Each structure stands twice: as C-alpha cells, then as structure tokens.
Amino acid sequence: MTSIATGSVADRGRATYDLGATAIFASKSDPRFHYCLYVPPAVGEGAKVDLLVAIHGTGRTSFLGFRDAFAEFGRWNDCAILCPLFPIGVLGDDARSGYKYMIEGDIRYDQVLLAIVEEVVAKYRQDWTRFAMFGFSGGGHFTHRFAILHPDRLWAASIGAPGSVTLLDAGRDWWMGIRDLPEKFGISFDAAALAKVPVQMIVGDADLETWEITHVQDSSHWMPGANDAGRTRPERLRTLCRSFEEAGVRVRFDLLPGVAHERDTVLDSVKDFLAQVLKERRNASG
C-alpha cells in the first residue's frame, strides 16, 4: 500500500493537510459543522493509534487551542486528537449554548460528533469504535452528557469545570436528569456501560464566578430546580461526582488549588489521567 506521506502530488497534499496539525474540514454529513485534527505522522506509514476528542468551550477558540496543546501528547502517546467546532448561532439566532445540552432545534450534537468520527475513521483507516473525550467549561457540559448517552463509545472521559450538570436522576427530565432519555434521544441509560468508563472530573478551587452559570427564569435552559446542584462550578462538579459514583462509576476528582476558570492550567492533569488510562488499556489488551 502506498504511504499517504510520499509519492504523487495528491499524496504530498495529504501529507501537508491531513497529517500533523491538519487543515480545518467541513463535516460531510452536515457542513455547518467543522473539525480539525492532530494526526501523528506515523499514521501516514500505516500506524494504528488511539483517538482523543477534545471539545471546545463557549468561546470556541479552544477548538484550535486544544488541537495544538495536545499535539505533543498525541505524538508521543500514539493518539490522534480530533477537535470539532460547533459554531455559535448555527440556527441563525446567536444562541451560544445549544451544543452543551446535546439538542438544539432539530440538531442532535451527539450524532453530529459521531458522524465526524466515522468520517475520520474512514479517512485514516483506524479502529476508533471507542475514543476518549475531554472538554472544559462548555466542553465539560458536552463531555459528561455524551458519556451518559454513549458510554459504550468511550474508553475515558475527562470532564472539566462544566457550568451545569446532568445528574443520573431518574426522577427528573433532561437536562437535569435522565428520566426521559428514551423519549428525547431514543436511548436508555446504561449504568453498567458507564461504570466501565474511567472518568476524571477537574476544576479549580478558585473557579467561583457564577454570573454565567446561574440559571434565571425564562432563560433558554431554565427548569425548576436548575440551580439545585450547587452555586459554583466546584460545588456542581462535586454533585455530579457523587451521582456518578452512586451509579458505580470510578471517578478521579481533581480540585486544583488556586486555579480559577483557566482551561490551559488544567491540561497537565488531564494529560496525566489520559496517559495512565492509555497505559492500563494497552496493557490489558497486550
């Protein structure tokens, strides 16, 4: 088989734009959504690698920031990095937060992400049936809700400082709980599958501003009891941790001293967690 890193002009183009820090691509299944990757150069020679999906926050700039921040980790841990982009106002309404709650109008963001994964699986000829996911702030919203909906697709989940949390509460509807998952998503919650996913929850103990995370009545995602999980991000993440642990999930909870809402500051701890899970996973399969 000809390497995509050598050979024809087309091969040279693939080596330039599809390996290392890639170009930005529109999703074939829905071109409103985009993605970029870091792909270890060895993939061009046929190497098989794992996959980490890194989910941006509300500002979306970490879409590229995470790609670059995880590049060295990906190269030396044989792991591709996929960073999807879910733009603000995709329905023309300037809404910032639809992706965080998985449903916005007729859009199912979990399905958008899975379609992008299938696209890159075909492109790079990899087995990414299961992948890891990390997200911070708005990405932490997405990551823990994706884990609830699709635990069978994850080999690890790192949940960073979400503003609001979905508890494994069968007495409350989505987004606060999981009672209506079959009606809303066509999915039944699989506690046994989630319990197999190593989970990290990470937040700074100085991440205490509440202006953006306090739900007020008549706001887009208001529900009675919307603020019950706690006032601050650390409080809400602790509540999520208890909910997951009560369902049998093994959670590593990292409360970083002196750290506010600073995504780059948490990344070393996230990389440590992911590297350890990769090591255990590979040893178990080796």
Side-chain angles (χ1 to χ4, degrees):
M1 181 177 65
T2 302
S3 164
I4 70 171
T6 60
S8 68
V9 171
D11 292 333
R12 179 71 178 271
R14 287 192 289 271
T16 300
Y17 297 111
D18 296 345
L19 296 175
T22 75
I24 297 170
F25 302 96
S27 170
K28 289 182 170 63
S29 64
D30 190 335
R32 292 175 295 179
F33 304 105
H34 307 110
Y35 64 91
C36 65
L37 304 102
Y38 173 80
V39 180
V43 170
E45 304 298 331
K48 301 302 180 183
V49 299
D50 286 289
L51 178 67
L52 166 65
V53 177
I55 307 293
H56 60 67
T58 307
R60 274 69 174 178
T61 55
S62 54
F63 151 71
L64 286 173
F66 286 154
R67 189 272 307 271
D68 297 338
F70 280 102
E72 185 177 12
F73 172 88
R75 179 168 189 143
W76 300 114
N77 288 278
D78 296 321
C79 192
I81 315 299
L82 169 64
C83 300
L85 174 60
F86 307 126
I88 288 175
V90 72
L91 295 179
D93 56 4
D94 293 327
R96 300 186 189 101
S97 297
Y99 80 102
K100 303 174 189 177
Y101 296 89
M102 290 294 167
I103 293 182
E104 184 176 24
D106 62 350
I107 301 169
R108 280 275 304 274
Y109 283 96
D110 58 326
Q111 293 179 349
V112 171
L113 184 278
L114 288 171
I116 290 172
V117 170
E118 291 310 305
E119 183 176 327
V120 296
V121 161
K123 181 175 188 174
Y124 294 102
R125 300 185 292 275
Q126 299 286 323
D127 177 8
W128 289 334
T129 306
R130 297 177 70 209
F131 46 87
M133 185 175 288
F134 162 69
F136 184 83
S137 194
H141 277 257
F142 187 99
T143 298
H144 84 276
R145 294 189 177 108
F146 186 92
I148 291 169
L149 294 174
H150 301 285
D152 58 309
R153 297 303 308 268
L154 297 177
W155 53 260
S158 177
I159 301 159
S164 296
V165 295
T166 295
L167 305 181
L168 305 179
D169 185 345
R172 298 193 186 197
D173 286 339
W174 190 267
W175 57 265
M176 293 177 58
I178 60 172
R179 175 169 54 195
D180 60 343
L181 287 192
E183 293 77 21
K184 190 169 286 289
F185 294 99
I187 292 171
S188 296
F189 174 59
D190 189 340
L194 184 59
K196 295 176 182 177
V197 180
V199 172
Q200 177 188 43
M201 298 186 185
I202 186 165
V203 67
D205 69 358
D207 193 348
L208 303 177
E209 290 193 5
T210 61
W211 68 272
E212 192 173 20
I213 70 171
T214 301
H215 294 275
V216 296
Q217 197 163 355
D218 298 326
S219 61
S220 298
H221 298 286
W222 165 259
M223 295 177 70
N227 300 301
D228 286 356
R231 189 179 65 87
T232 66
R233 293 177 195 268
E235 290 173 2
R236 292 181 180 186
L237 198 58
R238 280 286 189 193
T239 302
L240 182 66
C241 181
R242 288 193 295 271
S243 180
F244 271 43
E245 288 179 335
E246 287 168 1
V249 181
R250 176 167 56 102
V251 179
R252 168 177 156 176
F253 194 95
D254 289 330
L255 184 66
L256 303 184
V259 174
H261 200 58
E262 304 162 13
R263 65 175 183 249
D264 292 343
T265 308
V266 310
L267 294 184
D268 283 347
S269 294
V270 172
K271 292 172 187 176
D272 287 346
F273 166 74
L274 293 171
Q276 182 61 37
V277 176
L278 270 175
K279 180 180 178 180
E280 293 171 359
R281 183 168 183 263
R282 290 166 177 170
N283 286 342
S285 64

